[in-house]
């Protein structure tokens, strides 16, 4: 499922991503309006719930029929099940699960600090919890595997654990850097020591793992390097620039009033006003690298991250295999591959360190480039036109077509805008799917 800026939900068939690949979506749902801000699939059904910035929630069902002759399904259309208009501000996140007490619970959060629980089967609101506005705007939340508690993250770096059984806040802690909480992800492990672990993406290229039950202790920090490179083909992201505090309206109006009432107002005076206003207006500054999406398997042996630097990273969380971490997508071939180190501190730290030695100077790359040079040389020597001379100068002609194709740069398949979400599907095979702000969806097999 893909959400678009124009307020349309696009539905794709994963079975068509392996064979007979088509770039066309199977169904489209555009009856909601507004920009779609969050999306979830209802557990144990073919229904989808989407939240919009206009404050509405639509739950619709995908009507499909399996085919016997070919893999995949025949899609017949969409049917709307429920409209919700809580009139509580834009939606920021939404989740769904089935409880042990026969409840089909749809949980959604708004930017006014309220977390609602709506029972789709009973068609009524089960509960509502209000996060303090002094902690900032709610940006994300995650639900534990046992469906007993959830963790809410805010724009001011606060994380609050809420008990959904009694609708009471249990614990609250703040990120050490007071950074905006971009994403929260619980560890889906069934072991008692890992079932209360929560991954928190906040700060400059940082992911931390917290123990919710054991006194809110931070167990692990994952730090990305700030080596983004320079690619002229990349589109400027909306979050790549951030403005500081603009001049106060009162001081600006006073300045204009002062000069306009001056009887000696001239063109030079107008130029002085413009220059002074330009000095008051701060210049745009680059925003720190932020991680927007997380994914980990139930065993929590590794973690996949993606964010504003347009890179997808694989982190091996096992201390003895940390060096096996790597960049899945977004790595520039002209840059040196980073190294990954592990520190047994309190908390433990896994850090990505930029490598100062380019790949072309490493031993493995030197052998590869040498083999390429040998094959090119043999191709040139076997072609008479490449060694032909003109006149007495003996100057050689240009490269052949084969050489030009070989030397042509390979187009990059990385995202060109901020990556907003990643997920992993199991059918028809294990695939990693990522989506960026410019509407591009990539599938990695």
């Amino acid at each position: 499922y893909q959400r678009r800026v124009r307020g349309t939900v696009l539905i794709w068939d994963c079975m068509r991503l392996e064979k007979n690949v088509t770039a066309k979506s199977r169904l489209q749902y555009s009856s909601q309006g507004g920009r779609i801000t969050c999306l979830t699939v209802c557990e144990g059904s073919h229904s989808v719930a989407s939240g919009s910035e206009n404050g509405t929630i639509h739950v619709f069902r995908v009507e499909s029929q399996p085919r016997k002759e070919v893999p995949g399904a025949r899609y017949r259309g969409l049917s709307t099940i429920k409209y919700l208009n809580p009139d509580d501000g834009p939606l920021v996140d939404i989740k769904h699960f089935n409880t042990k007490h026969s409840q089909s619970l749809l949980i959604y959060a708004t930017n006014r600090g309220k977390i609602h629980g709506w029972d789709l089967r009973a068609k009524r609101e089960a509960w509502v919890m209000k996060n303090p506005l002094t902690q900032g705007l709610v940006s994300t939340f995650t639900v534990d595997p046992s469906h007993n508690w959830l963790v809410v993250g805010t724009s001011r770096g606060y994380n609050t654990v809420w008990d959904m059984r009694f609708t009471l806040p249990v614990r609250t802690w703040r990120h050490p850097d007071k950074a905006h909480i971009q994403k929260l992800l619980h560890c889906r492990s069934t072991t008692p020591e890992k079932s209360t672990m929560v991954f928190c993406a906040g700060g400059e290229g940082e992911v931390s793992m917290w123990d919710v039950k054991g006194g809110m202790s931070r167990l692990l920090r994952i730090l990305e390097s700030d080596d983004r490179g320079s690619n002229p083909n990349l589109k400027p992201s909306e979050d790549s620039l951030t403005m500081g505090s603009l001049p106060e309206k009162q001081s600006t109006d006073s300045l204009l009033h002062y000069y306009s009432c001056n009887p000696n107002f001239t063109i030079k005076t107008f130029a002085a006003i413009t220059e002074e206003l330009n000095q008051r207006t701060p210049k745009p500054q680059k925003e720190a690298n932020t991680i927007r999406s997380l994914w980990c398997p139930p065993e929590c042996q590794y973690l996949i991250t993606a964010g504003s630097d347009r890179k997808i990273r694989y982190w091996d969380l096992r201390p003895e295999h940390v060096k096996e971490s790597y960049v899945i997508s977004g790595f520039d071939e002209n840059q040196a591959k980073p190294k990954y180190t592990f520190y047994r501190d309190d908390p433990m730290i896994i850090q990505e360190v930029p490598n100062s030695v380019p790949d072309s100077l490493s031993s493995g790359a030197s052998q590869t480039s040498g083999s390429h040079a040998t094959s090119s040389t043999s191709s040139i020597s076997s072609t008479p036109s490449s060694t032909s001379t003109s006149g007495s100068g003996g100057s050689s002609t240009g490269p052949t077509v084969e050489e030009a194709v070989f030397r042509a740069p390979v187009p990059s398949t990385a995202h060109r805008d901020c990556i907003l979400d990643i997920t992993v599907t199991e059918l028809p095979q294990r695939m990693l799917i990522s989506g960026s702000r410019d509407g591009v969806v990539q599938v990695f097999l």
Side-chain angles (χ1 to χ4, degrees):
Y1 302 90
Q2 182 189 13
R3 54 189 183 188
R4 296 294 297 273
V5 177
R6 65 175 183 264
T8 302
V9 180
L10 304 180
I11 301 173
W12 306 79
D13 190 352
C14 292
M15 300 298 296
R16 299 292 298 272
L17 297 179
E18 185 181 19
K19 296 180 180 180
N20 300 325
V21 179
T22 176
K24 184 179 179 181
S25 60
R26 309 302 295 176
L27 295 173
Q28 297 184 10
Y29 184 82
S30 57
S31 303
Q32 188 165 0
R35 185 172 65 92
I36 305 300
T37 57
C38 50
L39 191 71
T40 187
V41 179
C42 297
E43 182 180 336
S45 67
H46 294 89
S47 301
V48 180
S50 59
S52 174
E53 65 178 1
N54 59 14
T56 61
I57 300 175
H58 284 204
V59 183
F60 56 92
R61 180 184 293 111
V62 179
E63 303 290 347
S64 62
Q65 183 178 1
R67 295 181 178 180
K68 297 181 180 180
E69 59 277 5
V70 293
R74 178 180 285 107
Y75 296 89
R76 296 179 296 179
L78 299 169
S79 59
T80 306
I81 300 176
K82 183 67 178 178
Y83 293 100
L84 293 178
N85 191 4
D87 193 18
D88 200 20
L91 277 295
V92 296
D93 205 353
I94 190 169
K95 299 286 190 301
H96 178 271
F97 60 86
N98 296 322
T99 65
K100 300 178 181 179
H101 306 287
S102 301
Q103 283 184 322
S104 179
L105 205 59
L106 185 68
I107 303 178
Y108 58 94
T110 65
N111 66 349
R112 295 184 183 177
K114 291 184 179 181
I115 303 98
H116 300 260
W118 183 273
D119 192 347
L120 294 177
R121 295 175 182 171
K123 299 181 181 180
R124 62 179 179 84
E125 191 171 63
W127 44 260
V128 59
M129 301 181 295
K130 187 174 182 180
N131 208 60
L133 294 177
T134 55
Q135 297 180 3
L137 300 177
V138 174
S139 56
T140 181
F141 71 89
T142 183
V143 183
D144 80 306
S146 59
H147 305 152
N148 293 325
W149 50 268
L150 58 84
V151 183
V152 178
T154 66
S155 59
R156 297 186 61 191
Y158 285 95
N159 296 281
T160 302
V161 182
W162 286 85
D163 192 331
M164 292 187 294
R165 298 167 296 182
F166 305 100
T167 64
L168 294 174
V170 180
R171 293 186 179 92
T172 300
W173 78 96
R174 195 174 189 181
H175 193 277
D177 298 334
K178 302 178 182 180
H180 182 99
I181 306 300
Q182 301 287 349
K183 191 70 174 180
L184 291 172
L185 178 67
H186 63 270
C187 187
R188 296 176 293 171
S189 176
T190 56
T191 57
E193 61 273 10
K194 289 186 178 181
S195 59
T196 58
M197 304 300 178
V198 174
F199 292 100
C200 173
E204 184 174 354
E206 177 181 345
V207 178
S208 55
M209 185 171 67
W210 297 81
D211 185 5
V212 177
K213 187 177 180 180
M216 319 315 299
S217 58
R218 185 163 61 170
L219 304 179
L220 176 67
R221 292 181 67 193
I222 300 176
L223 303 176
E224 293 183 356
S225 62
D226 197 16
D227 187 10
R228 308 182 194 179
S230 57
N231 191 341
N233 296 324
L234 296 180
K235 294 182 180 179
S237 174
E238 294 180 6
D239 290 352
S240 61
L241 297 177
T242 176
M243 295 294 295
S245 57
L246 295 176
E248 296 182 1
K249 186 176 185 299
Q250 182 179 2
S251 60
T252 304
D253 293 343
S254 301
L255 180 65
L256 295 173
H257 178 73
Y258 170 77
Y259 281 112
S260 61
C261 295
N262 192 345
N264 299 324
F265 185 84
T266 61
I267 298 299
K268 294 183 179 180
T269 308
F270 179 77
I273 297 175
T274 305
E275 183 179 358
E276 186 167 351
L277 290 177
N278 291 337
Q279 292 178 357
R280 291 192 179 191
T281 305
K283 296 181 179 180
Q285 298 178 354
K286 280 190 175 182
E287 189 190 25
N289 174 29
T290 56
I291 298 175
R292 297 301 186 88
S293 184
L294 306 171
W295 188 90
C296 70
E299 298 80 10
C300 295
Q301 295 182 354
Y302 63 88
L303 179 69
I304 299 178
T305 64
S308 59
D309 64 347
R310 308 169 180 90
K311 292 182 179 180
I312 304 176
R313 291 176 172 88
Y314 169 90
W315 302 87
D316 199 320
L317 304 182
R318 297 170 297 179
E320 62 276 7
H321 299 283
V322 169
K323 295 183 179 180
E324 298 179 6
S325 304
Y326 62 96
V327 178
I328 299 176
S329 175
F331 179 75
D332 191 356
E333 295 182 356
N334 297 327
Q335 298 178 357
K337 293 184 179 180
K339 297 180 180 179
Y340 298 88
T341 58
F342 176 76
Y343 303 97
R344 294 184 178 273
D345 295 335
D346 188 16
M348 297 181 294
I349 298 176
I350 299 177
Q351 186 174 8
E352 182 185 64
V353 181
N355 191 357
S356 58
V357 181
D359 294 343
S360 59
L361 299 180
S362 61
S363 59
S366 299
Q367 296 176 2
T368 305
S369 61
S371 62
H372 287 174
T374 304
S375 60
S376 301
T377 304
S378 61
S379 174
I380 293 175
S381 61
S382 62
T383 306
S385 61
S386 62
T387 57
S388 62
T389 57
S390 59
S392 59
S395 59
S396 60
T397 61
T400 62
V401 177
E402 292 79 3
E403 294 173 14
V405 174
F406 178 78
R407 295 177 184 177
V410 179
S412 176
T413 58
H415 283 284
R416 296 187 177 184
D417 206 344
C418 176
I419 301 175
L420 299 180
D421 201 2
I422 55 176
T423 188
V424 174
T425 60
E426 300 293 340
L427 293 175
Q429 59 177 315
R430 196 173 183 86
M431 299 182 297
L432 173 64
I433 303 176
S434 61
S436 58
R437 193 195 308 276
D438 56 0
V440 176
V441 177
Q442 293 189 356
V443 180
F444 302 89
L445 301 178

